[in-house]
Amino acid sequence: MSEKRARIIATALKLFCEKGFQNTSTATISKEAGVATGTLFLYFKSKDELINALYREAKNELAGFFQQDFPTEPSVENKLYHFWQKAISWALENPYQFRFFNMYSHSPFISSLTKEESASAFQFTLDFVEEAIEAGSLAPIDSGLFIALFSGQLNATVGFLTQNPQLTNRKAVTDQTFALFWKGISKS
């Protein structure tokens, strides 16, 4: 990715989170990114194309991060814990991306095609969940509902950690919230 394109993406991310999509003009993005408005349009034909590219790229980055150091042992609990820790770590290290997902995951500004392409980057997680449910390692639940419950608990945990930066026992909090989630969805 070119340095100018990267600045446009980073600036759009920040402004879309702080001001909203509709209240952010391409002129403002260009100015804050330090590029000419024409340069923005060399990379993105429209603001709609820009927000969709931003969504895809952030989702792909997160999916790649999830796959790093994925445990090879067969324990479903350890693999879910890996996703849990990775997601929390990524969210805390990338607060604008995390906020962006919460703001725009169900937004009409993100096209159906973009949502489908982004979901395909996470197919490995859906496959894992479906296999664990089928094997009886997880409670019999619709895999889409499982993902929604996981995301909801995760968002609550990240929100709590973000609102309480003074906490010295962050790992204990993430372990405790995962244990509560695991208790609710495990077959045992």
PDB file of all heavy atoms in Angstrom, residues 49-81:
ATOM      1  N   GLU A  49     -16.814   4.109  -1.687  1.00  0.00           N
ATOM      2  CA  GLU A  49     -15.766   3.136  -1.996  1.00  0.00           C
ATOM      3  C   GLU A  49     -14.692   3.149  -0.907  1.00  0.00           C
ATOM      4  O   GLU A  49     -14.177   2.098  -0.516  1.00  0.00           O
ATOM      5  CB  GLU A  49     -15.142   3.432  -3.358  1.00  0.00           C
ATOM      6  CG  GLU A  49     -14.135   2.374  -3.785  1.00  0.00           C
ATOM      7  CD  GLU A  49     -13.542   2.643  -5.160  1.00  0.00           C
ATOM      8  OE1 GLU A  49     -14.323   2.797  -6.119  1.00  0.00           O
ATOM      9  OE2 GLU A  49     -12.304   2.672  -5.255  1.00  0.00           O
ATOM     10  N   LEU A  50     -14.370   4.320  -0.395  1.00  0.00           N
ATOM     11  CA  LEU A  50     -13.366   4.455   0.665  1.00  0.00           C
ATOM     12  C   LEU A  50     -13.797   3.724   1.936  1.00  0.00           C
ATOM     13  O   LEU A  50     -13.027   2.954   2.509  1.00  0.00           O
ATOM     14  CB  LEU A  50     -13.106   5.943   0.955  1.00  0.00           C
ATOM     15  CG  LEU A  50     -12.241   6.276   2.176  1.00  0.00           C
ATOM     16  CD1 LEU A  50     -10.868   5.629   2.087  1.00  0.00           C
ATOM     17  CD2 LEU A  50     -12.113   7.788   2.332  1.00  0.00           C
ATOM     18  N   ILE A  51     -15.033   3.930   2.390  1.00  0.00           N
ATOM     19  CA  ILE A  51     -15.456   3.283   3.630  1.00  0.00           C
ATOM     20  C   ILE A  51     -15.521   1.766   3.461  1.00  0.00           C
ATOM     21  O   ILE A  51     -15.190   1.016   4.384  1.00  0.00           O
ATOM     22  CB  ILE A  51     -16.791   3.856   4.175  1.00  0.00           C
ATOM     23  CG1 ILE A  51     -16.977   3.409   5.641  1.00  0.00           C
ATOM     24  CG2 ILE A  51     -17.969   3.459   3.314  1.00  0.00           C
ATOM     25  CD1 ILE A  51     -18.118   4.087   6.362  1.00  0.00           C
ATOM     26  N   ASN A  52     -15.891   1.302   2.277  1.00  0.00           N
ATOM     27  CA  ASN A  52     -15.937  -0.136   2.033  1.00  0.00           C
ATOM     28  C   ASN A  52     -14.530  -0.732   1.982  1.00  0.00           C
ATOM     29  O   ASN A  52     -14.296  -1.822   2.496  1.00  0.00           O
ATOM     30  CB  ASN A  52     -16.740  -0.446   0.773  1.00  0.00           C
ATOM     31  CG  ASN A  52     -18.232  -0.418   1.048  1.00  0.00           C
ATOM     32  OD1 ASN A  52     -18.801  -1.394   1.486  1.00  0.00           O
ATOM     33  ND2 ASN A  52     -18.859   0.726   0.818  1.00  0.00           N
ATOM     34  N   ALA A  53     -13.596  -0.026   1.380  1.00  0.00           N
ATOM     35  CA  ALA A  53     -12.202  -0.493   1.357  1.00  0.00           C
ATOM     36  C   ALA A  53     -11.647  -0.538   2.777  1.00  0.00           C
ATOM     37  O   ALA A  53     -10.960  -1.499   3.163  1.00  0.00           O
ATOM     38  CB  ALA A  53     -11.353   0.422   0.479  1.00  0.00           C
ATOM     39  N   LEU A  54     -11.939   0.482   3.554  1.00  0.00           N
ATOM     40  CA  LEU A  54     -11.498   0.533   4.943  1.00  0.00           C
ATOM     41  C   LEU A  54     -12.051  -0.651   5.733  1.00  0.00           C
ATOM     42  O   LEU A  54     -11.325  -1.325   6.473  1.00  0.00           O
ATOM     43  CB  LEU A  54     -11.949   1.858   5.563  1.00  0.00           C
ATOM     44  CG  LEU A  54     -11.710   2.082   7.044  1.00  0.00           C
ATOM     45  CD1 LEU A  54     -10.255   1.934   7.409  1.00  0.00           C
ATOM     46  CD2 LEU A  54     -12.205   3.467   7.436  1.00  0.00           C
ATOM     47  N   TYR A  55     -13.306  -0.950   5.567  1.00  0.00           N
ATOM     48  CA  TYR A  55     -13.948  -2.069   6.261  1.00  0.00           C
ATOM     49  C   TYR A  55     -13.285  -3.396   5.883  1.00  0.00           C
ATOM     50  O   TYR A  55     -12.919  -4.190   6.749  1.00  0.00           O
ATOM     51  CB  TYR A  55     -15.433  -2.085   5.912  1.00  0.00           C
ATOM     52  CG  TYR A  55     -16.247  -3.076   6.709  1.00  0.00           C
ATOM     53  CD1 TYR A  55     -16.762  -2.737   7.947  1.00  0.00           C
ATOM     54  CD2 TYR A  55     -16.507  -4.349   6.218  1.00  0.00           C
ATOM     55  CE1 TYR A  55     -17.522  -3.634   8.685  1.00  0.00           C
ATOM     56  CE2 TYR A  55     -17.263  -5.255   6.938  1.00  0.00           C
ATOM     57  CZ  TYR A  55     -17.767  -4.895   8.172  1.00  0.00           C
ATOM     58  OH  TYR A  55     -18.508  -5.794   8.894  1.00  0.00           O
ATOM     59  N   ARG A  56     -13.102  -3.623   4.567  1.00  0.00           N
ATOM     60  CA  ARG A  56     -12.479  -4.872   4.104  1.00  0.00           C
ATOM     61  C   ARG A  56     -11.062  -5.024   4.643  1.00  0.00           C
ATOM     62  O   ARG A  56     -10.680  -6.088   5.126  1.00  0.00           O
ATOM     63  CB  ARG A  56     -12.432  -4.910   2.569  1.00  0.00           C
ATOM     64  CG  ARG A  56     -13.626  -5.524   1.912  1.00  0.00           C
ATOM     65  CD  ARG A  56     -13.393  -5.744   0.415  1.00  0.00           C
ATOM     66  NE  ARG A  56     -12.913  -4.559  -0.287  1.00  0.00           N
ATOM     67  CZ  ARG A  56     -13.691  -3.593  -0.757  1.00  0.00           C
ATOM     68  NH1 ARG A  56     -14.994  -3.651  -0.600  1.00  0.00           N
ATOM     69  NH2 ARG A  56     -13.179  -2.562  -1.381  1.00  0.00           N
ATOM     70  N   GLU A  57     -10.288  -3.962   4.551  1.00  0.00           N
ATOM     71  CA  GLU A  57      -8.891  -4.037   4.971  1.00  0.00           C
ATOM     72  C   GLU A  57      -8.762  -4.269   6.468  1.00  0.00           C
ATOM     73  O   GLU A  57      -7.930  -5.063   6.914  1.00  0.00           O
ATOM     74  CB  GLU A  57      -8.136  -2.786   4.533  1.00  0.00           C
ATOM     75  CG  GLU A  57      -7.944  -2.743   3.028  1.00  0.00           C
ATOM     76  CD  GLU A  57      -7.339  -1.455   2.511  1.00  0.00           C
ATOM     77  OE1 GLU A  57      -6.658  -0.741   3.275  1.00  0.00           O
ATOM     78  OE2 GLU A  57      -7.541  -1.166   1.305  1.00  0.00           O
ATOM     79  N   ALA A  58      -9.593  -3.601   7.256  1.00  0.00           N
ATOM     80  CA  ALA A  58      -9.540  -3.795   8.709  1.00  0.00           C
ATOM     81  C   ALA A  58      -9.982  -5.210   9.082  1.00  0.00           C
ATOM     82  O   ALA A  58      -9.380  -5.849   9.955  1.00  0.00           O
ATOM     83  CB  ALA A  58     -10.398  -2.744   9.411  1.00  0.00           C
ATOM     84  N   LYS A  59     -11.019  -5.716   8.430  1.00  0.00           N
ATOM     85  CA  LYS A  59     -11.479  -7.085   8.696  1.00  0.00           C
ATOM     86  C   LYS A  59     -10.404  -8.109   8.321  1.00  0.00           C
ATOM     87  O   LYS A  59     -10.154  -9.060   9.057  1.00  0.00           O
ATOM     88  CB  LYS A  59     -12.770  -7.395   7.924  1.00  0.00           C
ATOM     89  CG  LYS A  59     -14.004  -6.844   8.570  1.00  0.00           C
ATOM     90  CD  LYS A  59     -14.414  -7.678   9.756  1.00  0.00           C
ATOM     91  CE  LYS A  59     -15.814  -7.323  10.191  1.00  0.00           C
ATOM     92  NZ  LYS A  59     -16.281  -8.094  11.321  1.00  0.00           N
ATOM     93  N   ASN A  60      -9.759  -7.914   7.172  1.00  0.00           N
ATOM     94  CA  ASN A  60      -8.701  -8.832   6.752  1.00  0.00           C
ATOM     95  C   ASN A  60      -7.520  -8.793   7.711  1.00  0.00           C
ATOM     96  O   ASN A  60      -6.923  -9.828   8.013  1.00  0.00           O
ATOM     97  CB  ASN A  60      -8.251  -8.527   5.326  1.00  0.00           C
ATOM     98  CG  ASN A  60      -9.277  -8.949   4.305  1.00  0.00           C
ATOM     99  OD1 ASN A  60     -10.077  -9.853   4.534  1.00  0.00           O
ATOM    100  ND2 ASN A  60      -9.269  -8.296   3.159  1.00  0.00           N
ATOM    101  N   GLU A  61      -7.193  -7.609   8.198  1.00  0.00           N
ATOM    102  CA  GLU A  61      -6.109  -7.472   9.180  1.00  0.00           C
ATOM    103  C   GLU A  61      -6.447  -8.246  10.454  1.00  0.00           C
ATOM    104  O   GLU A  61      -5.622  -8.983  10.985  1.00  0.00           O
ATOM    105  CB  GLU A  61      -5.884  -5.998   9.509  1.00  0.00           C
ATOM    106  CG  GLU A  61      -4.805  -5.759  10.552  1.00  0.00           C
ATOM    107  CD  GLU A  61      -4.711  -4.300  10.967  1.00  0.00           C
ATOM    108  OE1 GLU A  61      -4.831  -3.418  10.092  1.00  0.00           O
ATOM    109  OE2 GLU A  61      -4.522  -4.039  12.171  1.00  0.00           O
ATOM    110  N   LEU A  62      -7.664  -8.087  10.927  1.00  0.00           N
ATOM    111  CA  LEU A  62      -8.087  -8.791  12.140  1.00  0.00           C
ATOM    112  C   LEU A  62      -8.092 -10.301  11.920  1.00  0.00           C
ATOM    113  O   LEU A  62      -7.624 -11.058  12.776  1.00  0.00           O
ATOM    114  CB  LEU A  62      -9.473  -8.313  12.585  1.00  0.00           C
ATOM    115  CG  LEU A  62     -10.074  -8.999  13.809  1.00  0.00           C
ATOM    116  CD1 LEU A  62      -9.159  -8.896  15.028  1.00  0.00           C
ATOM    117  CD2 LEU A  62     -11.451  -8.419  14.113  1.00  0.00           C
ATOM    118  N   ALA A  63      -8.582 -10.752  10.790  1.00  0.00           N
ATOM    119  CA  ALA A  63      -8.597 -12.198  10.510  1.00  0.00           C
ATOM    120  C   ALA A  63      -7.183 -12.767  10.498  1.00  0.00           C
ATOM    121  O   ALA A  63      -6.934 -13.851  11.050  1.00  0.00           O
ATOM    122  CB  ALA A  63      -9.299 -12.462   9.175  1.00  0.00           C
ATOM    123  N   GLY A  64      -6.255 -12.051   9.892  1.00  0.00           N
ATOM    124  CA  GLY A  64      -4.853 -12.488   9.894  1.00  0.00           C
ATOM    125  C   GLY A  64      -4.282 -12.539  11.290  1.00  0.00           C
ATOM    126  O   GLY A  64      -3.540 -13.470  11.651  1.00  0.00           O
ATOM    127  N   PHE A  65      -4.626 -11.558  12.108  1.00  0.00           N
ATOM    128  CA  PHE A  65      -4.159 -11.512  13.492  1.00  0.00           C
ATOM    129  C   PHE A  65      -4.699 -12.709  14.281  1.00  0.00           C
ATOM    130  O   PHE A  65      -3.995 -13.304  15.080  1.00  0.00           O
ATOM    131  CB  PHE A  65      -4.580 -10.184  14.132  1.00  0.00           C
ATOM    132  CG  PHE A  65      -3.951  -9.910  15.461  1.00  0.00           C
ATOM    133  CD1 PHE A  65      -2.615  -9.587  15.560  1.00  0.00           C
ATOM    134  CD2 PHE A  65      -4.712  -9.962  16.620  1.00  0.00           C
ATOM    135  CE1 PHE A  65      -2.030  -9.318  16.790  1.00  0.00           C
ATOM    136  CE2 PHE A  65      -4.147  -9.703  17.858  1.00  0.00           C
ATOM    137  CZ  PHE A  65      -2.799  -9.379  17.938  1.00  0.00           C
ATOM    138  N   PHE A  66      -5.957 -13.069  14.044  1.00  0.00           N
ATOM    139  CA  PHE A  66      -6.568 -14.229  14.716  1.00  0.00           C
ATOM    140  C   PHE A  66      -5.818 -15.517  14.408  1.00  0.00           C
ATOM    141  O   PHE A  66      -5.721 -16.401  15.253  1.00  0.00           O
ATOM    142  CB  PHE A  66      -8.019 -14.399  14.241  1.00  0.00           C
ATOM    143  CG  PHE A  66      -9.046 -13.768  15.133  1.00  0.00           C
ATOM    144  CD1 PHE A  66      -8.779 -12.646  15.874  1.00  0.00           C
ATOM    145  CD2 PHE A  66     -10.310 -14.309  15.203  1.00  0.00           C
ATOM    146  CE1 PHE A  66      -9.742 -12.065  16.676  1.00  0.00           C
ATOM    147  CE2 PHE A  66     -11.288 -13.743  16.002  1.00  0.00           C
ATOM    148  CZ  PHE A  66     -10.999 -12.616  16.743  1.00  0.00           C
ATOM    149  N   GLN A  67      -5.326 -15.633  13.185  1.00  0.00           N
ATOM    150  CA  GLN A  67      -4.699 -16.876  12.762  1.00  0.00           C
ATOM    151  C   GLN A  67      -3.261 -17.025  13.248  1.00  0.00           C
ATOM    152  O   GLN A  67      -2.722 -18.133  13.232  1.00  0.00           O
ATOM    153  CB  GLN A  67      -4.761 -16.986  11.240  1.00  0.00           C
ATOM    154  CG  GLN A  67      -6.190 -17.144  10.746  1.00  0.00           C
ATOM    155  CD  GLN A  67      -6.275 -17.240   9.248  1.00  0.00           C
ATOM    156  OE1 GLN A  67      -5.647 -18.079   8.636  1.00  0.00           O
ATOM    157  NE2 GLN A  67      -7.076 -16.371   8.651  1.00  0.00           N
ATOM    158  N   GLN A  68      -2.650 -15.926  13.692  1.00  0.00           N
ATOM    159  CA  GLN A  68      -1.273 -15.994  14.196  1.00  0.00           C
ATOM    160  C   GLN A  68      -1.211 -16.882  15.433  1.00  0.00           C
ATOM    161  O   GLN A  68      -2.008 -16.730  16.353  1.00  0.00           O
ATOM    162  CB  GLN A  68      -0.749 -14.604  14.562  1.00  0.00           C
ATOM    163  CG  GLN A  68      -0.548 -13.686  13.408  1.00  0.00           C
ATOM    164  CD  GLN A  68      -0.158 -12.280  13.860  1.00  0.00           C
ATOM    165  OE1 GLN A  68      -0.076 -11.967  15.040  1.00  0.00           O
ATOM    166  NE2 GLN A  68       0.059 -11.413  12.894  1.00  0.00           N
ATOM    167  N   ASP A  69      -0.255 -17.791  15.436  1.00  0.00           N
ATOM    168  CA  ASP A  69       0.004 -18.668  16.586  1.00  0.00           C
ATOM    169  C   ASP A  69      -1.224 -19.471  17.015  1.00  0.00           C
ATOM    170  O   ASP A  69      -1.402 -19.751  18.205  1.00  0.00           O
ATOM    171  CB  ASP A  69       0.519 -17.849  17.784  1.00  0.00           C
ATOM    172  CG  ASP A  69       1.722 -16.996  17.436  1.00  0.00           C
ATOM    173  OD1 ASP A  69       2.621 -17.504  16.745  1.00  0.00           O
ATOM    174  OD2 ASP A  69       1.757 -15.819  17.835  1.00  0.00           O
ATOM    175  N   PHE A  70      -2.074 -19.837  16.067  1.00  0.00           N
ATOM    176  CA  PHE A  70      -3.270 -20.606  16.411  1.00  0.00           C
ATOM    177  C   PHE A  70      -2.845 -21.945  16.998  1.00  0.00           C
ATOM    178  O   PHE A  70      -1.996 -22.635  16.434  1.00  0.00           O
ATOM    179  CB  PHE A  70      -4.149 -20.808  15.168  1.00  0.00           C
ATOM    180  CG  PHE A  70      -5.493 -21.391  15.485  1.00  0.00           C
ATOM    181  CD1 PHE A  70      -6.441 -20.640  16.163  1.00  0.00           C
ATOM    182  CD2 PHE A  70      -5.805 -22.680  15.112  1.00  0.00           C
ATOM    183  CE1 PHE A  70      -7.692 -21.169  16.459  1.00  0.00           C
ATOM    184  CE2 PHE A  70      -7.056 -23.216  15.395  1.00  0.00           C
ATOM    185  CZ  PHE A  70      -7.993 -22.461  16.074  1.00  0.00           C
ATOM    186  N   PRO A  71      -3.400 -22.314  18.160  1.00  0.00           N
ATOM    187  CA  PRO A  71      -2.976 -23.562  18.815  1.00  0.00           C
ATOM    188  C   PRO A  71      -3.304 -24.795  17.962  1.00  0.00           C
ATOM    189  O   PRO A  71      -4.334 -24.841  17.294  1.00  0.00           O
ATOM    190  CB  PRO A  71      -3.772 -23.586  20.124  1.00  0.00           C
ATOM    191  CG  PRO A  71      -4.681 -22.425  20.116  1.00  0.00           C
ATOM    192  CD  PRO A  71      -4.427 -21.606  18.899  1.00  0.00           C
ATOM    193  N   THR A  72      -2.411 -25.763  18.024  1.00  0.00           N
ATOM    194  CA  THR A  72      -2.610 -26.987  17.242  1.00  0.00           C
ATOM    195  C   THR A  72      -3.191 -28.122  18.073  1.00  0.00           C
ATOM    196  O   THR A  72      -3.668 -29.097  17.513  1.00  0.00           O
ATOM    197  CB  THR A  72      -1.278 -27.455  16.628  1.00  0.00           C
ATOM    198  OG1 THR A  72      -0.307 -27.611  17.671  1.00  0.00           O
ATOM    199  CG2 THR A  72      -0.774 -26.449  15.603  1.00  0.00           C
ATOM    200  N   GLU A  73      -3.150 -28.006  19.408  1.00  0.00           N
ATOM    201  CA  GLU A  73      -3.737 -29.073  20.227  1.00  0.00           C
ATOM    202  C   GLU A  73      -5.247 -29.107  20.020  1.00  0.00           C
ATOM    203  O   GLU A  73      -5.845 -28.113  19.623  1.00  0.00           O
ATOM    204  CB  GLU A  73      -3.390 -28.907  21.715  1.00  0.00           C
ATOM    205  CG  GLU A  73      -4.116 -27.799  22.427  1.00  0.00           C
ATOM    206  CD  GLU A  73      -3.390 -26.462  22.413  1.00  0.00           C
ATOM    207  OE1 GLU A  73      -2.290 -26.353  21.884  1.00  0.00           O
ATOM    208  OE2 GLU A  73      -3.967 -25.512  22.954  1.00  0.00           O
ATOM    209  N   PRO A  74      -5.860 -30.228  20.276  1.00  0.00           N
ATOM    210  CA  PRO A  74      -7.277 -30.389  19.931  1.00  0.00           C
ATOM    211  C   PRO A  74      -8.276 -29.690  20.864  1.00  0.00           C
ATOM    212  O   PRO A  74      -9.456 -29.671  20.566  1.00  0.00           O
ATOM    213  CB  PRO A  74      -7.476 -31.911  19.981  1.00  0.00           C
ATOM    214  CG  PRO A  74      -6.422 -32.403  20.904  1.00  0.00           C
ATOM    215  CD  PRO A  74      -5.265 -31.469  20.755  1.00  0.00           C
ATOM    216  N   SER A  75      -7.846 -29.095  21.942  1.00  0.00           N
ATOM    217  CA  SER A  75      -8.764 -28.515  22.915  1.00  0.00           C
ATOM    218  C   SER A  75      -9.557 -27.337  22.331  1.00  0.00           C
ATOM    219  O   SER A  75      -8.988 -26.308  21.958  1.00  0.00           O
ATOM    220  CB  SER A  75      -7.988 -28.045  24.149  1.00  0.00           C
ATOM    221  OG  SER A  75      -8.791 -27.209  24.953  1.00  0.00           O
ATOM    222  N   VAL A  76     -10.868 -27.503  22.274  1.00  0.00           N
ATOM    223  CA  VAL A  76     -11.748 -26.437  21.795  1.00  0.00           C
ATOM    224  C   VAL A  76     -11.641 -25.232  22.725  1.00  0.00           C
ATOM    225  O   VAL A  76     -11.591 -24.086  22.272  1.00  0.00           O
ATOM    226  CB  VAL A  76     -13.207 -26.943  21.690  1.00  0.00           C
ATOM    227  CG1 VAL A  76     -14.173 -25.800  21.433  1.00  0.00           C
ATOM    228  CG2 VAL A  76     -13.308 -27.993  20.598  1.00  0.00           C
ATOM    229  N   GLU A  77     -11.592 -25.468  24.014  1.00  0.00           N
ATOM    230  CA  GLU A  77     -11.490 -24.371  24.977  1.00  0.00           C
ATOM    231  C   GLU A  77     -10.225 -23.551  24.732  1.00  0.00           C
ATOM    232  O   GLU A  77     -10.278 -22.313  24.729  1.00  0.00           O
ATOM    233  CB  GLU A  77     -11.505 -24.908  26.409  1.00  0.00           C
ATOM    234  CG  GLU A  77     -11.467 -23.811  27.449  1.00  0.00           C
ATOM    235  CD  GLU A  77     -11.536 -24.334  28.884  1.00  0.00           C
ATOM    236  OE1 GLU A  77     -11.528 -25.565  29.092  1.00  0.00           O
ATOM    237  OE2 GLU A  77     -11.587 -23.491  29.803  1.00  0.00           O
ATOM    238  N   ASN A  78      -9.089 -24.207  24.522  1.00  0.00           N
ATOM    239  CA  ASN A  78      -7.836 -23.472  24.278  1.00  0.00           C
ATOM    240  C   ASN A  78      -7.894 -22.675  22.976  1.00  0.00           C
ATOM    241  O   ASN A  78      -7.380 -21.562  22.899  1.00  0.00           O
ATOM    242  CB  ASN A  78      -6.646 -24.425  24.253  1.00  0.00           C
ATOM    243  CG  ASN A  78      -6.277 -24.915  25.635  1.00  0.00           C
ATOM    244  OD1 ASN A  78      -6.711 -24.361  26.639  1.00  0.00           O
ATOM    245  ND2 ASN A  78      -5.496 -25.974  25.695  1.00  0.00           N
ATOM    246  N   LYS A  79      -8.529 -23.243  21.965  1.00  0.00           N
ATOM    247  CA  LYS A  79      -8.633 -22.526  20.686  1.00  0.00           C
ATOM    248  C   LYS A  79      -9.558 -21.309  20.812  1.00  0.00           C
ATOM    249  O   LYS A  79      -9.253 -20.234  20.295  1.00  0.00           O
ATOM    250  CB  LYS A  79      -9.112 -23.478  19.592  1.00  0.00           C
ATOM    251  CG  LYS A  79      -8.037 -24.489  19.214  1.00  0.00           C
ATOM    252  CD  LYS A  79      -8.506 -25.470  18.175  1.00  0.00           C
ATOM    253  CE  LYS A  79      -7.377 -26.423  17.818  1.00  0.00           C
ATOM    254  NZ  LYS A  79      -7.774 -27.425  16.832  1.00  0.00           N
ATOM    255  N   LEU A  80     -10.660 -21.473  21.511  1.00  0.00           N
ATOM    256  CA  LEU A  80     -11.553 -20.324  21.733  1.00  0.00           C
ATOM    257  C   LEU A  80     -10.871 -19.260  22.589  1.00  0.00           C
ATOM    258  O   LEU A  80     -11.032 -18.064  22.346  1.00  0.00           O
ATOM    259  CB  LEU A  80     -12.845 -20.773  22.414  1.00  0.00           C
ATOM    260  CG  LEU A  80     -13.944 -21.277  21.512  1.00  0.00           C
ATOM    261  CD1 LEU A  80     -15.146 -21.742  22.334  1.00  0.00           C
ATOM    262  CD2 LEU A  80     -14.372 -20.219  20.516  1.00  0.00           C
ATOM    263  N   TYR A  81     -10.122 -19.719  23.581  1.00  0.00           N
ATOM    264  CA  TYR A  81      -9.382 -18.781  24.427  1.00  0.00           C
ATOM    265  C   TYR A  81      -8.381 -17.991  23.575  1.00  0.00           C
ATOM    266  O   TYR A  81      -8.197 -16.790  23.779  1.00  0.00           O
ATOM    267  CB  TYR A  81      -8.671 -19.523  25.559  1.00  0.00           C
ATOM    268  CG  TYR A  81      -7.897 -18.619  26.484  1.00  0.00           C
ATOM    269  CD1 TYR A  81      -8.553 -17.823  27.416  1.00  0.00           C
ATOM    270  CD2 TYR A  81      -6.504 -18.550  26.423  1.00  0.00           C
ATOM    271  CE1 TYR A  81      -7.844 -16.979  28.265  1.00  0.00           C
ATOM    272  CE2 TYR A  81      -5.791 -17.718  27.263  1.00  0.00           C
ATOM    273  CZ  TYR A  81      -6.460 -16.936  28.182  1.00  0.00           C
ATOM    274  OH  TYR A  81      -5.753 -16.103  29.020  1.00  0.00           O
TER     275      TYR A  81
END
